[in-house]
Amino acid sequence: MKKFSLVEFSVGRPRLVVAIVVLITLGFLTQFPKIKTDTNPKNMLPPTSDVRVWNDEVDRTFGLYEDTIAVGIVNDDGILNERTLGKILRITDEVLRIDGVAARDVNALPTITNVTAEAGVLKVAPLMAGVPATRAEMGGLRKELTENPLFRGRVISDDGKTTAIYAPLEKGANGKAIADRITEIVKKEGGPERYYIAGDPVARDTFGAEMFKLMAVFAPIAGCIMLVARYLMFKDLFLSVTLMMDAMISIVWSMGLLIALGFPVHIMSSMAPVFLMAIATDSIHIFNEFYFRYREKRDKKAAIIETMKAVGRPVRYTALATAVGFGVLMFMDIVPVKVFGAVVAFGTVALRVLSFSFIPAMFTFVKEKNIEKIAVGEEISAGGSSGFLRGLATAGAHSPKATAVIGLILFGVSVIGISRIVVNNNMVEWFKSNSDIRTADSVLNTALGGTSLGYVVAVSNEDEYIKTPEAMRQIEGLQRHLEKVPVVGKTSSVVDYVKRINRVLHDDDPKYDTIPSSKEEIGQYLFLFSMSAKPSDLDNVVDYPFRKANIWVQLKTWDAQAMRSVLRAVDEYKQENPGTLVFKPAGIAYFNLVWNDEVLWDMLKGFIIALVVIFVILSFNFGSVKWAAIGYTPLLFTILLIYGAVGYMGKDFDMPIAVLSCLSLGMAVDFSIHFISRLRQRLKEAGQTGTPSSESLVNALLWTAARPGKGIMRNAVLFASAFSVMLFAPLTPYITVGAFIVSMMLLSAILTMIYLPAMIVLFRGRLFGGN
Amino acid sequence: MLKYLVLLLAVLLPLNSFAVTPEEVMKSSQAAFLYPAKDFKARVVMRLISKSGSERTRELTMLRKNYGEPGGDQKYFMYFYQPADVKNMAFMVYKYPGRDDDRWLFVPALNMVRRIAAQDRRSSFVGSDFTYEDVSGRDIVDDTHEIAREEKLGEADCFVVKSTPKAGDTDYGHKLSWIDKKTFLPLKEEYYDKKGALYKVFTAEEIKDVKGFPTVTKRTMKNLQSGHSTVTTFTKVDYNIGIEDSLFTERYLKQPPGKWIE
């Protein structure tokens, strides 16, 4: 009853209502300048999460950096010539001067530590302090590069055509800004060398920046297309703009609230406007019904009130279902997921309040003449689209068994597809395959050991243990075992340094490329190394008390799953070679794996809980579990079909898909709520009590398909057309979002039209018998 | 004529003779800090402290003998006690101004003396925040010096000398040194990186008088960027103890005479 009075109040005092809405909106708008953004997906896990605490600890223990940018330099004629080396030297020097680059630990040909023996003199020094001036010097450099396993796959490719500069970043540095600066530097040097800038921070920060840009470009474009489509549907600009404003106002309110509360806008919450636009289309049912009612009544005010009476209940329940669907996200573990859920839930509620106040108020401003004109076009029987919808419903209602069988087959096929879905996230693959970032990554991953970095920390239970030959042998064994994993490009550890020094001290005799047999020898070699090497060389691979060692594992892909295969290999090794060392994973690759598991599973969990909660809401709405089950069918079916297709396409269940899952729930269920509510209303209005006859049921179904069904179809088409723009976005997650929304909207609308009639006819006895 | 000349000299002289040049300050500082007496001995303990607070210890006896004037040749002999597995390791350096050092290392596990190439003097000394140069000194002619200002550092009146390397091959852009006007010991040094940001700070924390030579017995080098620091203490400091030339040979590197390393 309260809602009713709100509608009547709004119709009675439209100017006041609009003024209040405008004032509130302006109030929220004032919050916008305070906006803070956080584009780093990493922050989806709070800094206090176990994996970040552990990774920070490992970073501190071994003096490591969270993020490193790799700059690849390729010359098809080989990089070992004066010109190219000169460029490498200059570029490295410039990179060292970039703010945010940890200059002291940049590794590249000019800075990487080399251990050699020349004429009996042991030399620990940067590999290439200057460009080799003579042929002999050039030959010496070539020999070092090819013979030293510490360099191969790291600063030189096997074919000698590719080298890389590894620039670790200080905490909080912006990867994209640094990558952009490096791009400028290499541009100055020019060809024939080709330059590639790769690494997770580049992808992450570029994606964050691009995402905000895209949101700023695509959300308005989608909005405009919806505006045009609405205009084509209703031929009234004023009303089309009203609908648009409805969405915009709720976006301003919810984002304003988010900003006012001091939350930064995250990747996820930046998608909220698009979601709210999607949810706002639901108000099209009000418009749809309004024109039908107006034709019948010819009285604007009465038509508005009656419309709200008719669609009020389904609109309220769809809003509730959507709000709850997103609201459950608030009970998840990941903070940005919670915030996102809260923002969208709030926006949904705001939208509904507007539907019962702002929209009716705006209706009163429309000239009767205009409404008349449109209303003429809203004749059920005459409309081509209504005819098509009737056709769909007829197919379902007349051959319910065949429809059900086809459904079951599709169901089975989808389930098989779904079983193939892999939960995985690869941020580099969020870029198109011909993008700079993807190209850089694949070039470096082919030529060198891999741009993605994981660590395996070997932990012993006594100080100094790492210096023992047993510990060294265990670590070396693990390295060789890990290198058999296909995604592992290269591993390095303290053992590599020890072996190198052993060999160099013995006049570069390959026979001594082994682990020495006593702890004293190993300790002295390491000390010797530390006497002149960069402190970080040793710090990066062993801790201070020599209790822990850090094995670097370079991976050839950013797939979160790659690290899982490393973990599996570690377990295998541990089983075959029980020793005292315990191996623990760390590093950005490990972080991505945990992120993948925690964030995506959290969202999946939220999705499943939402499914259950929405079923409960449906049961309440329909006052019957049976009707809820029927109303649930199109939703479940849409989801199954889409995920089945995702599975067959070999697409991973990644973050964009996970986010969309929630949207699909909110939207797809709307259609059945509208359909079933209106059907039952129709039956009641027709004076039907108890089980309707098969004939009258079919008639009611066809009416529903044609009239509220038109609203459903309009809703779907409107939305699908707007979001089809996203198919042309430069980032794959947006293409995914576009494709997903388009197919979800159309599928769920069509499935609602076909399967609801089919199911209702099929279970007529049970559905109505109980009532 | 001569009268005028004398007058002119008299006018100019005080300026020239009483105002010290920055080079002179640095020379006196070098003599006081790295070249006092004929020879020198100390038990050196270096505590290498990482950002997270873990520590590594280096303990050694350092023997030094001067050859010629301050700023001239020197020989260093270092015998290690810690870390435990490098006990008996010994390191010897012949330092020559203006050219690369000669360095030798005795590796006990191999019972072998190895020559080590003297590379970058700015590289870390035994993994600490001190560089070889910080231990044995930097040639004064390698930098241009200017007296930036004179100020008090704690109780001590100091020259603040700004030294900028002439060549670009150093890890820092310039250095500020607070040189005590009385002892000429450096009390503090600030190293600025090439971007102009302060990144390393040297402080002399304890100064003791040994046989009339003011000696820095505790010093710290802190790297502000990596958070790593090294605290070095000198104990059993002694001067003019009559170290023989023969100590600085490969033979003694393998088996140092007990009297020097007890």
mmCIF file of all heavy atoms in Angstrom, chain A residues 97-99 104 120-122 125 467 505 507 524-525 527-528 530-531 539 543-544, chain B residues 48 55-56 85 89 105 108-110 114-117 119 124 127 132 195 225 228:
data_model
loop_
_atom_site.group_PDB
_atom_site.id
_atom_site.type_symbol
_atom_site.label_atom_id
_atom_site.label_comp_id
_atom_site.label_asym_id
_atom_site.label_seq_id
_atom_site.Cartn_x
_atom_site.Cartn_y
_atom_site.Cartn_z
ATOM 1 N N ARG A 97 67.729 5.320 -14.624
ATOM 2 C CA ARG A 97 67.390 6.659 -14.126
ATOM 3 C C ARG A 97 65.890 6.889 -13.975
ATOM 4 O O ARG A 97 65.467 7.956 -13.552
ATOM 5 C CB ARG A 97 67.930 7.723 -15.087
ATOM 6 C CG ARG A 97 69.423 7.839 -15.043
ATOM 7 C CD ARG A 97 69.912 8.594 -16.275
ATOM 8 N NE ARG A 97 71.345 8.464 -16.398
ATOM 9 C CZ ARG A 97 72.203 9.355 -15.899
ATOM 10 N NH1 ARG A 97 71.767 10.406 -15.279
ATOM 11 N NH2 ARG A 97 73.503 9.173 -16.032
ATOM 12 N N ILE A 98 65.078 5.917 -14.375
ATOM 13 C CA ILE A 98 63.624 6.125 -14.283
ATOM 14 C C ILE A 98 63.185 6.050 -12.823
ATOM 15 O O ILE A 98 63.572 5.131 -12.105
ATOM 16 C CB ILE A 98 62.860 5.068 -15.106
ATOM 17 C CG1 ILE A 98 63.269 5.157 -16.577
ATOM 18 C CG2 ILE A 98 61.358 5.256 -14.961
ATOM 19 C CD1 ILE A 98 62.660 4.077 -17.436
ATOM 20 N N ASP A 99 62.380 7.006 -12.440
ATOM 21 C CA ASP A 99 61.827 6.975 -11.077
ATOM 22 C C ASP A 99 60.918 5.768 -10.936
ATOM 23 O O ASP A 99 60.103 5.506 -11.813
ATOM 24 C CB ASP A 99 61.003 8.241 -10.817
ATOM 25 C CG ASP A 99 61.881 9.333 -10.232
ATOM 26 O OD1 ASP A 99 62.866 8.982 -9.565
ATOM 27 O OD2 ASP A 99 61.586 10.513 -10.472
ATOM 28 N N ARG A 104 69.380 -0.218 -8.361
ATOM 29 C CA ARG A 104 70.487 -1.042 -7.847
ATOM 30 C C ARG A 104 70.338 -2.505 -8.226
ATOM 31 O O ARG A 104 71.296 -3.250 -8.213
ATOM 32 C CB ARG A 104 70.570 -0.897 -6.335
ATOM 33 C CG ARG A 104 69.299 -1.343 -5.616
ATOM 34 C CD ARG A 104 69.214 -0.797 -4.202
ATOM 35 N NE ARG A 104 67.893 -1.084 -3.648
ATOM 36 C CZ ARG A 104 66.835 -0.329 -3.844
ATOM 37 N NH1 ARG A 104 66.926 0.743 -4.593
ATOM 38 N NH2 ARG A 104 65.666 -0.646 -3.320
ATOM 39 N N GLY A 120 94.193 -16.963 -14.458
ATOM 40 C CA GLY A 120 94.366 -17.265 -13.041
ATOM 41 C C GLY A 120 93.820 -16.205 -12.107
ATOM 42 O O GLY A 120 93.889 -16.335 -10.897
ATOM 43 N N VAL A 121 93.272 -15.123 -12.670
ATOM 44 C CA VAL A 121 92.722 -14.076 -11.812
ATOM 45 C C VAL A 121 91.206 -14.205 -11.788
ATOM 46 O O VAL A 121 90.561 -14.191 -12.824
ATOM 47 C CB VAL A 121 93.126 -12.674 -12.316
ATOM 48 C CG1 VAL A 121 92.557 -11.609 -11.399
ATOM 49 C CG2 VAL A 121 94.631 -12.582 -12.405
ATOM 50 N N LEU A 122 90.701 -14.332 -10.568
ATOM 51 C CA LEU A 122 89.257 -14.471 -10.424
ATOM 52 C C LEU A 122 88.608 -13.097 -10.529
ATOM 53 O O LEU A 122 89.063 -12.130 -9.942
ATOM 54 C CB LEU A 122 88.955 -15.064 -9.053
ATOM 55 C CG LEU A 122 87.496 -15.352 -8.780
ATOM 56 C CD1 LEU A 122 87.037 -16.569 -9.548
ATOM 57 C CD2 LEU A 122 87.286 -15.538 -7.293
ATOM 58 N N ALA A 125 82.337 -9.336 -11.539
ATOM 59 C CA ALA A 125 82.091 -7.975 -11.990
ATOM 60 C C ALA A 125 80.895 -7.945 -12.922
ATOM 61 O O ALA A 125 80.469 -8.981 -13.407
ATOM 62 C CB ALA A 125 83.320 -7.466 -12.728
ATOM 63 N N LYS A 467 74.016 -24.235 3.332
ATOM 64 C CA LYS A 467 75.377 -24.375 2.819
ATOM 65 C C LYS A 467 75.840 -25.833 2.747
ATOM 66 O O LYS A 467 76.922 -26.100 2.240
ATOM 67 C CB LYS A 467 76.345 -23.610 3.732
ATOM 68 C CG LYS A 467 76.228 -22.108 3.639
ATOM 69 C CD LYS A 467 77.279 -21.504 4.564
ATOM 70 C CE LYS A 467 77.042 -20.037 4.808
ATOM 71 N NZ LYS A 467 77.867 -19.576 5.951
ATOM 72 N N LEU A 505 87.000 -21.344 -10.127
ATOM 73 C CA LEU A 505 88.187 -21.469 -9.279
ATOM 74 C C LEU A 505 89.098 -22.590 -9.749
ATOM 75 O O LEU A 505 90.287 -22.595 -9.476
ATOM 76 C CB LEU A 505 87.769 -21.716 -7.822
ATOM 77 C CG LEU A 505 87.382 -20.487 -7.012
ATOM 78 C CD1 LEU A 505 86.972 -20.905 -5.616
ATOM 79 C CD2 LEU A 505 88.531 -19.490 -6.942
ATOM 80 N N ASP A 507 90.057 -23.256 -12.753
ATOM 81 C CA ASP A 507 90.493 -22.920 -14.105
ATOM 82 C C ASP A 507 89.453 -23.232 -15.163
ATOM 83 O O ASP A 507 89.779 -23.705 -16.249
ATOM 84 C CB ASP A 507 91.816 -23.630 -14.427
ATOM 85 C CG ASP A 507 92.881 -23.203 -13.442
ATOM 86 O OD1 ASP A 507 92.948 -21.987 -13.179
ATOM 87 O OD2 ASP A 507 93.595 -24.071 -12.908
ATOM 88 N N GLN A 524 82.810 -20.954 1.756
ATOM 89 C CA GLN A 524 83.875 -20.062 1.309
ATOM 90 C C GLN A 524 83.627 -19.539 -0.099
ATOM 91 O O GLN A 524 83.936 -18.394 -0.409
ATOM 92 C CB GLN A 524 85.220 -20.780 1.411
ATOM 93 C CG GLN A 524 85.623 -20.941 2.876
ATOM 94 C CD GLN A 524 86.832 -21.827 3.085
ATOM 95 O OE1 GLN A 524 87.603 -22.071 2.166
ATOM 96 N NE2 GLN A 524 86.994 -22.325 4.303
ATOM 97 N N TYR A 525 83.068 -20.393 -0.929
ATOM 98 C CA TYR A 525 82.755 -19.933 -2.294
ATOM 99 C C TYR A 525 81.739 -18.807 -2.253
ATOM 100 O O TYR A 525 81.851 -17.806 -2.950
ATOM 101 C CB TYR A 525 82.177 -21.073 -3.137
ATOM 102 C CG TYR A 525 83.177 -22.132 -3.515
ATOM 103 C CD1 TYR A 525 82.782 -23.242 -4.237
ATOM 104 C CD2 TYR A 525 84.520 -22.009 -3.167
ATOM 105 C CE1 TYR A 525 83.684 -24.221 -4.599
ATOM 106 C CE2 TYR A 525 85.433 -22.988 -3.509
ATOM 107 C CZ TYR A 525 85.021 -24.093 -4.223
ATOM 108 O OH TYR A 525 85.906 -25.053 -4.575
ATOM 109 N N PHE A 527 81.114 -16.845 0.193
ATOM 110 C CA PHE A 527 81.727 -15.658 0.776
ATOM 111 C C PHE A 527 82.555 -14.926 -0.282
ATOM 112 O O PHE A 527 82.486 -13.713 -0.436
ATOM 113 C CB PHE A 527 82.588 -16.039 1.963
ATOM 114 C CG PHE A 527 83.091 -14.856 2.727
ATOM 115 C CD1 PHE A 527 82.210 -14.107 3.486
ATOM 116 C CD2 PHE A 527 84.416 -14.479 2.687
ATOM 117 C CE1 PHE A 527 82.649 -12.992 4.193
ATOM 118 C CE2 PHE A 527 84.866 -13.376 3.376
ATOM 119 C CZ PHE A 527 83.984 -12.633 4.142
ATOM 120 N N LEU A 528 83.302 -15.717 -0.993
ATOM 121 C CA LEU A 528 84.130 -15.180 -2.060
ATOM 122 C C LEU A 528 83.270 -14.416 -3.058
ATOM 123 O O LEU A 528 83.587 -13.308 -3.480
ATOM 124 C CB LEU A 528 84.829 -16.361 -2.748
ATOM 125 C CG LEU A 528 85.586 -16.104 -4.031
ATOM 126 C CD1 LEU A 528 86.804 -15.257 -3.742
ATOM 127 C CD2 LEU A 528 86.025 -17.422 -4.650
ATOM 128 N N SER A 530 80.363 -13.127 -2.477
ATOM 129 C CA SER A 530 79.776 -11.930 -1.865
ATOM 130 C C SER A 530 80.806 -10.836 -1.658
ATOM 131 O O SER A 530 80.469 -9.700 -1.361
ATOM 132 C CB SER A 530 79.126 -12.280 -0.533
ATOM 133 O OG SER A 530 80.121 -12.460 0.444
ATOM 134 N N MET A 531 82.096 -11.186 -1.793
ATOM 135 C CA MET A 531 83.115 -10.168 -1.585
ATOM 136 C C MET A 531 83.071 -9.109 -2.662
ATOM 137 O O MET A 531 83.470 -7.975 -2.438
ATOM 138 C CB MET A 531 84.505 -10.794 -1.558
ATOM 139 C CG MET A 531 84.750 -11.528 -0.273
ATOM 140 S SD MET A 531 86.423 -12.059 -0.116
ATOM 141 C CE MET A 531 87.216 -10.546 0.402
ATOM 142 N N ASP A 539 71.593 -12.163 -1.757
ATOM 143 C CA ASP A 539 70.389 -11.959 -0.943
ATOM 144 C C ASP A 539 69.141 -12.498 -1.630
ATOM 145 O O ASP A 539 68.238 -12.996 -0.977
ATOM 146 C CB ASP A 539 70.181 -10.458 -0.669
ATOM 147 C CG ASP A 539 71.228 -9.915 0.277
ATOM 148 O OD1 ASP A 539 71.980 -10.736 0.841
ATOM 149 O OD2 ASP A 539 71.307 -8.689 0.456
ATOM 150 N N ASP A 543 68.695 -16.564 2.524
ATOM 151 C CA ASP A 543 68.413 -15.593 3.583
ATOM 152 C C ASP A 543 69.667 -15.389 4.425
ATOM 153 O O ASP A 543 70.703 -16.008 4.169
ATOM 154 C CB ASP A 543 67.209 -16.030 4.430
ATOM 155 C CG ASP A 543 67.562 -17.201 5.334
ATOM 156 O OD1 ASP A 543 68.533 -17.929 5.025
ATOM 157 O OD2 ASP A 543 66.849 -17.415 6.337
ATOM 158 N N TYR A 544 69.572 -14.511 5.393
ATOM 159 C CA TYR A 544 70.760 -14.155 6.154
ATOM 160 C C TYR A 544 71.376 -15.324 6.920
ATOM 161 O O TYR A 544 72.563 -15.569 6.817
ATOM 162 C CB TYR A 544 70.448 -12.974 7.069
ATOM 163 C CG TYR A 544 70.845 -11.683 6.427
ATOM 164 C CD1 TYR A 544 70.467 -11.435 5.107
ATOM 165 C CD2 TYR A 544 71.618 -10.752 7.082
ATOM 166 C CE1 TYR A 544 70.845 -10.268 4.482
ATOM 167 C CE2 TYR A 544 72.001 -9.573 6.464
ATOM 168 C CZ TYR A 544 71.617 -9.337 5.172
ATOM 169 O OH TYR A 544 72.000 -8.197 4.567
ATOM 170 N N LEU B 48 75.921 -6.775 9.374
ATOM 171 C CA LEU B 48 75.133 -6.452 8.190
ATOM 172 C C LEU B 48 73.673 -6.660 8.566
ATOM 173 O O LEU B 48 73.281 -7.776 8.907
ATOM 174 C CB LEU B 48 75.500 -7.384 7.026
ATOM 175 C CG LEU B 48 76.817 -7.147 6.276
ATOM 176 C CD1 LEU B 48 78.006 -7.044 7.208
ATOM 177 C CD2 LEU B 48 77.037 -8.262 5.266
ATOM 178 N N GLU B 55 70.477 -10.385 10.637
ATOM 179 C CA GLU B 55 71.868 -9.929 10.671
ATOM 180 C C GLU B 55 72.835 -10.978 10.159
ATOM 181 O O GLU B 55 72.606 -12.179 10.317
ATOM 182 C CB GLU B 55 72.269 -9.613 12.126
ATOM 183 C CG GLU B 55 71.723 -8.310 12.609
ATOM 184 C CD GLU B 55 72.398 -7.850 13.895
ATOM 185 O OE1 GLU B 55 73.571 -8.258 14.155
ATOM 186 O OE2 GLU B 55 71.760 -7.105 14.614
ATOM 187 N N ARG B 56 73.903 -10.493 9.558
ATOM 188 C CA ARG B 56 75.043 -11.338 9.235
ATOM 189 C C ARG B 56 76.250 -10.662 9.858
ATOM 190 O O ARG B 56 76.314 -9.435 9.904
ATOM 191 C CB ARG B 56 75.263 -11.389 7.727
ATOM 192 C CG ARG B 56 74.456 -12.454 7.040
ATOM 193 C CD ARG B 56 74.718 -12.435 5.548
ATOM 194 N NE ARG B 56 73.739 -13.290 4.907
ATOM 195 C CZ ARG B 56 73.313 -13.134 3.672
ATOM 196 N NH1 ARG B 56 73.770 -12.150 2.918
ATOM 197 N NH2 ARG B 56 72.441 -13.959 3.161
ATOM 198 N N ASP B 85 82.386 -20.569 8.603
ATOM 199 C CA ASP B 85 82.965 -21.418 7.552
ATOM 200 C C ASP B 85 84.053 -20.719 6.741
ATOM 201 O O ASP B 85 84.663 -21.332 5.885
ATOM 202 C CB ASP B 85 81.877 -22.011 6.639
ATOM 203 C CG ASP B 85 80.798 -21.015 6.321
ATOM 204 O OD1 ASP B 85 81.113 -19.813 6.313
ATOM 205 O OD2 ASP B 85 79.653 -21.430 6.089
ATOM 206 N N MET B 89 90.233 -17.736 6.282
ATOM 207 C CA MET B 89 90.317 -17.078 4.990
ATOM 208 C C MET B 89 91.086 -15.771 5.203
ATOM 209 O O MET B 89 90.936 -15.111 6.236
ATOM 210 C CB MET B 89 88.922 -16.777 4.476
ATOM 211 C CG MET B 89 88.856 -16.641 2.974
ATOM 212 S SD MET B 89 87.149 -16.374 2.479
ATOM 213 C CE MET B 89 86.923 -17.601 1.252
ATOM 214 N N LEU B 105 93.375 -13.631 -2.408
ATOM 215 C CA LEU B 105 92.517 -14.251 -1.411
ATOM 216 C C LEU B 105 93.003 -15.673 -1.159
ATOM 217 O O LEU B 105 93.310 -16.409 -2.101
ATOM 218 C CB LEU B 105 91.068 -14.290 -1.913
ATOM 219 C CG LEU B 105 90.064 -14.874 -0.942
ATOM 220 C CD1 LEU B 105 89.709 -13.857 0.140
ATOM 221 C CD2 LEU B 105 88.789 -15.288 -1.670
ATOM 222 N N PRO B 108 90.802 -21.386 2.191
ATOM 223 C CA PRO B 108 91.298 -22.519 2.988
ATOM 224 C C PRO B 108 90.773 -23.875 2.513
ATOM 225 O O PRO B 108 91.507 -24.860 2.533
ATOM 226 C CB PRO B 108 90.803 -22.227 4.408
ATOM 227 C CG PRO B 108 90.206 -20.879 4.396
ATOM 228 C CD PRO B 108 90.077 -20.409 3.010
ATOM 229 N N ALA B 109 89.498 -23.912 2.052
ATOM 230 C CA ALA B 109 88.948 -25.214 1.660
ATOM 231 C C ALA B 109 89.726 -25.814 0.498
ATOM 232 O O ALA B 109 89.787 -27.033 0.334
ATOM 233 C CB ALA B 109 87.474 -25.067 1.288
ATOM 234 N N LEU B 110 90.303 -24.960 -0.324
ATOM 235 C CA LEU B 110 91.090 -25.466 -1.447
ATOM 236 C C LEU B 110 92.580 -25.351 -1.163
ATOM 237 O O LEU B 110 93.405 -25.734 -1.995
ATOM 238 C CB LEU B 110 90.773 -24.660 -2.717
ATOM 239 C CG LEU B 110 89.318 -24.677 -3.196
ATOM 240 C CD1 LEU B 110 89.164 -23.783 -4.425
ATOM 241 C CD2 LEU B 110 88.881 -26.090 -3.518
ATOM 242 N N ARG B 114 94.280 -17.220 -4.457
ATOM 243 C CA ARG B 114 93.778 -16.799 -5.758
ATOM 244 C C ARG B 114 93.910 -15.308 -5.903
ATOM 245 O O ARG B 114 93.601 -14.559 -4.971
ATOM 246 C CB ARG B 114 92.278 -17.135 -5.866
ATOM 247 C CG ARG B 114 92.018 -18.521 -6.377
ATOM 248 C CD ARG B 114 92.165 -18.510 -7.861
ATOM 249 N NE ARG B 114 92.226 -19.870 -8.374
ATOM 250 C CZ ARG B 114 92.613 -20.150 -9.608
ATOM 251 N NH1 ARG B 114 92.988 -19.170 -10.414
ATOM 252 N NH2 ARG B 114 92.645 -21.375 -10.030
ATOM 253 N N ARG B 115 94.367 -14.867 -7.047
ATOM 254 C CA ARG B 115 94.335 -13.422 -7.292
ATOM 255 C C ARG B 115 92.915 -13.063 -7.684
ATOM 256 O O ARG B 115 92.233 -13.793 -8.390
ATOM 257 C CB ARG B 115 95.283 -13.046 -8.420
ATOM 258 C CG ARG B 115 96.679 -12.826 -7.920
ATOM 259 C CD ARG B 115 97.481 -11.972 -8.871
ATOM 260 N NE ARG B 115 96.903 -10.640 -9.017
ATOM 261 C CZ ARG B 115 97.381 -9.750 -9.887
ATOM 262 N NH1 ARG B 115 98.391 -10.064 -10.672
ATOM 263 N NH2 ARG B 115 96.837 -8.561 -9.979
ATOM 264 N N ILE B 116 92.488 -11.939 -7.199
ATOM 265 C CA ILE B 116 91.145 -11.476 -7.529
ATOM 266 C C ILE B 116 91.257 -10.171 -8.275
ATOM 267 O O ILE B 116 92.006 -9.280 -7.861
ATOM 268 C CB ILE B 116 90.299 -11.267 -6.254
ATOM 269 C CG1 ILE B 116 90.175 -12.593 -5.508
ATOM 270 C CG2 ILE B 116 88.929 -10.725 -6.587
ATOM 271 C CD1 ILE B 116 89.327 -12.501 -4.278
ATOM 272 N N ALA B 117 90.550 -10.089 -9.380
ATOM 273 C CA ALA B 117 90.620 -8.868 -10.171
ATOM 274 C C ALA B 117 90.013 -7.726 -9.398
ATOM 275 O O ALA B 117 88.940 -7.851 -8.820
ATOM 276 C CB ALA B 117 89.889 -9.060 -11.485
ATOM 277 N N GLN B 119 87.977 -4.851 -9.328
ATOM 278 C CA GLN B 119 87.026 -4.269 -10.246
ATOM 279 C C GLN B 119 86.580 -2.954 -9.695
ATOM 280 O O GLN B 119 87.335 -2.265 -9.032
ATOM 281 C CB GLN B 119 85.850 -5.234 -10.429
ATOM 282 C CG GLN B 119 86.110 -6.213 -11.549
ATOM 283 C CD GLN B 119 86.297 -5.500 -12.867
ATOM 284 O OE1 GLN B 119 85.567 -4.604 -13.191
ATOM 285 N NE2 GLN B 119 87.306 -5.902 -13.614
ATOM 286 N N SER B 124 80.444 -3.665 -3.303
ATOM 287 C CA SER B 124 80.304 -3.893 -1.872
ATOM 288 C C SER B 124 81.519 -4.624 -1.296
ATOM 289 O O SER B 124 82.059 -5.535 -1.903
ATOM 290 C CB SER B 124 79.038 -4.707 -1.640
ATOM 291 O OG SER B 124 79.161 -5.514 -0.496
ATOM 292 N N GLY B 127 79.978 -7.921 1.114
ATOM 293 C CA GLY B 127 78.517 -7.959 1.217
ATOM 294 C C GLY B 127 77.936 -6.873 2.095
ATOM 295 O O GLY B 127 76.734 -6.845 2.341
ATOM 296 N N TYR B 132 84.564 -0.990 -1.227
ATOM 297 C CA TYR B 132 86.011 -1.073 -1.082
ATOM 298 C C TYR B 132 86.585 0.318 -0.872
ATOM 299 O O TYR B 132 87.475 0.542 -0.063
ATOM 300 C CB TYR B 132 86.633 -1.738 -2.319
ATOM 301 C CG TYR B 132 86.536 -3.230 -2.244
ATOM 302 C CD1 TYR B 132 85.422 -3.899 -2.721
ATOM 303 C CD2 TYR B 132 87.551 -3.975 -1.647
ATOM 304 C CE1 TYR B 132 85.319 -5.272 -2.621
ATOM 305 C CE2 TYR B 132 87.466 -5.352 -1.541
ATOM 306 C CZ TYR B 132 86.346 -5.997 -2.026
ATOM 307 O OH TYR B 132 86.257 -7.349 -1.919
ATOM 308 N N LYS B 195 69.679 10.728 -9.544
ATOM 309 C CA LYS B 195 68.429 11.477 -9.670
ATOM 310 C C LYS B 195 68.392 12.608 -8.633
ATOM 311 O O LYS B 195 67.437 13.359 -8.566
ATOM 312 C CB LYS B 195 67.236 10.547 -9.426
ATOM 313 C CG LYS B 195 67.111 9.409 -10.440
ATOM 314 C CD LYS B 195 66.041 8.405 -9.963
ATOM 315 C CE LYS B 195 66.247 7.039 -10.596
ATOM 316 N NZ LYS B 195 65.600 5.977 -9.811
ATOM 317 N N GLN B 225 67.537 3.377 0.428
ATOM 318 C CA GLN B 225 66.647 2.779 -0.573
ATOM 319 C C GLN B 225 66.344 1.321 -0.283
ATOM 320 O O GLN B 225 65.211 0.882 -0.380
ATOM 321 C CB GLN B 225 67.242 2.942 -1.976
ATOM 322 C CG GLN B 225 67.025 4.356 -2.499
ATOM 323 C CD GLN B 225 67.759 4.630 -3.794
ATOM 324 O OE1 GLN B 225 68.539 3.809 -4.271
ATOM 325 N NE2 GLN B 225 67.524 5.799 -4.354
ATOM 326 N N HIS B 228 68.891 -1.468 4.033
ATOM 327 C CA HIS B 228 69.977 -2.278 4.572
ATOM 328 C C HIS B 228 70.989 -1.360 5.256
ATOM 329 O O HIS B 228 71.213 -0.253 4.816
ATOM 330 C CB HIS B 228 70.627 -3.014 3.398
ATOM 331 C CG HIS B 228 71.445 -4.180 3.816
ATOM 332 N ND1 HIS B 228 72.725 -4.044 4.270
ATOM 333 C CD2 HIS B 228 71.159 -5.491 3.834
ATOM 334 C CE1 HIS B 228 73.204 -5.248 4.558
ATOM 335 N NE2 HIS B 228 72.266 -6.143 4.315
#
